[in-house]
Every structure is written in structure tokens, then in C-alpha cells.
Amino acid sequence: MDHQKKQTILIAEDQSIVRQGLKMMIEHGGNYRVMEASNGAEAIDQVLKNHVDLILMDVRMPVMDGIQATKQIRMQNKQVKIVILTTFADEEYALESLKQGASGYMLKDADMTSLVASIERALSGELILDGQVAAKVVPALLKRTEPNNEKLPDLSEREREIVRKVGQGLSNAEIANELYLTVGTVKNYISQLFLKLEVRDRTQLAILALKHDV
């Protein structure tokens, strides 16, 4: 019997059949407890009443959409991870959701293995961007970002390399592999960079990397 406390995933999705399908996929491995909400307002209510570790948030929902719900939840809860899960590979939605504090943007055509892997990565603090979305979002971020004249704090060459890799969307394991470091060392560097650069999460670090063309 596994005594480890299960992490809680909240699925905010207005289509019941999609919600049930996602719930079955996520609960399959037995590692997560899954809760449900049928719109953004319900998602906010669930987060206020329960401990939630991660939200899979649809974009288009009645009562309140996923972007607005993400904004509201972020104002009240800085800890919960929010991953937008949608059918739309739309750069506007993706950019706005990241701006409001989402930890990622995924498409609903993901299979069970990649969905669970993305949940695990998001829970560990990584930025999740579907390949199709990243191809649109990264150039759009670069295009829209005004040149930033603020000088970054002095970073070592190793720190700059890590910021650059985060900006490219690499996971901790991928960064460790490319830079011949342990995953633990990469995590330590990233934690120090959060403090040094005054960013709250990996998403902000990635956007900062793009803004300053690190």
C-alpha cells in the first residue's frame, strides 16, 4: 500500500465527456486524485475550498473562460500550477495565458503518456509548451517584446547558459544533459536565478530570457 499522499489535479472543462476521459487517463496510474469543474468560476471555487496542486484549464468555457479564471486564481494562489489544455493552437491565447501566470499550454490531442509526463514536468516547476504552440509563441514573444534597456544583474556564463536553455523550453534533465551537470545542480541554479532575477517561476524566467536576448 502506498502511503504517499496523492497530488490533486483539477480538470476545468465544460464538456463532460472530455472531462471524464481526461480523468480516466490521469487516474490510470494511481498517482493522482482528480477533481472536476465545468467552467472557470467553478475552478476558482474549487481552489478556494480545496488544496489543488495543478489545474488543467480549458480556454473556452461558459460563465468564465480559462484565461480569466487563471488571472483570478493567480491573484489568490501563487502555488498552484495551471496548464492550459485546449484544442486551439492559438498564439494569442497562449501569450495571454502565460502573461496571466499559466505554467504551460498544451493541446488536447496529446496521448496519455505525454499528458502524464507533462503533468509531472509542470508539477516540478517546468514550463510546458506544446511543440506547435512553441513554434508560434516564441517568435511572437520575440517580435512583440520591446527592447529592454534594463540591465540584468551580472550573471556568470554558466547562469546565462541555463537562462538561455530555459528560454528554449528545455527541461531540467535536458539542460543537465547538454551542460554535463546533475539535475540537482540545474535545480539549484534555477532556484538561485529566481531570487537573483526576481522572477516567481520558470515561465517568467523564459520570458525574461527572450526579452533580454540572453
Side-chain angles (χ1 to χ4, degrees):
M1 183 177 169
D2 186 8
H3 294 283
Q4 189 178 353
K5 189 179 176 186
K6 291 183 180 180
Q7 289 177 294
T8 301
I9 311 291
L10 172 63
I11 300 170
E13 161 67 57
D14 61 316
Q15 294 184 47
S16 178
I17 193 164
V18 175
R19 206 166 59 238
Q20 288 297 317
L22 287 168
K23 183 177 181 182
M24 286 175 65
M25 285 168 70
I26 295 165
E27 287 183 335
H28 180 73
N31 296 322
Y32 302 107
R33 171 176 169 252
V34 178
M35 297 167 59
E36 300 175 53
S38 61
N39 58 61
E42 280 185 21
I44 293 170
D45 192 48
Q46 291 276 34
V47 172
L48 287 173
K49 290 178 178 175
N50 304 283
H51 172 79
V52 176
D53 295 290
L54 181 141
I55 305 169
L56 290 177
M57 182 84 76
D58 191 16
V59 174
R60 294 186 183 176
M61 294 183 286
V63 185
M64 182 184 288
D65 68 39
I67 305 290
Q68 187 62 31
T70 296
K71 182 179 181 179
Q72 294 288 330
I73 290 167
R74 264 290 159 264
M75 288 166 65
Q76 300 159 14
N77 187 323
K78 306 292 185 192
Q79 304 306 314
V80 63
K81 307 283 193 259
I82 304 172
V83 174
I84 302 296
L85 186 63
T86 179
T87 53
F88 306 102
D90 185 297
E91 72 184 55
E92 292 295 331
Y93 284 149
L95 288 165
E96 187 59 27
S97 62
L98 293 175
K99 180 182 166 187
Q100 298 302 342
S103 305
Y105 194 99
M106 287 182 63
L107 299 183
K108 286 180 183 172
D109 60 5
D111 59 31
M112 185 170 75
T113 304
S114 59
L115 175 65
V116 173
S118 295
I119 287 171
E120 289 171 358
R121 287 177 57 198
L123 284 167
S124 71
E126 294 184 25
L127 172 63
I128 308 299
L129 275 183
D130 179 274
Q132 294 176 56
V133 178
K136 294 181 179 182
V137 168
V138 173
L141 274 172
L142 286 167
K143 194 188 298 180
R144 290 168 185 220
T145 302
E146 295 174 7
N148 198 320
N149 296 322
E150 288 178 34
K151 191 174 183 299
L152 278 176
D154 286 334
L155 299 177
S156 68
E157 186 50 42
R158 177 65 84 202
E159 287 173 329
R160 296 183 83 81
E161 282 179 322
I162 289 174
V163 172
R164 200 176 297 125
K165 300 294 182 190
V166 170
Q168 292 166 0
L170 271 63
S171 69
N172 287 348
E174 288 167 335
I175 294 171
N177 187 51
E178 288 203 7
L179 300 182
Y180 303 102
L181 299 170
T182 66
V183 174
T185 300
V186 172
K187 284 182 180 176
N188 288 338
Y189 268 115
I190 289 173
S191 297
Q192 289 163 15
L193 285 163
F194 285 173
L195 294 171
K196 203 169 188 178
L197 300 175
E198 297 180 355
V199 296
R200 67 167 182 257
D201 56 31
R202 204 179 184 94
T203 308
Q204 287 192 340
L205 186 59
I207 291 169
L208 195 73
L210 294 168
K211 276 185 178 178
H212 291 272
D213 193 22
V214 174

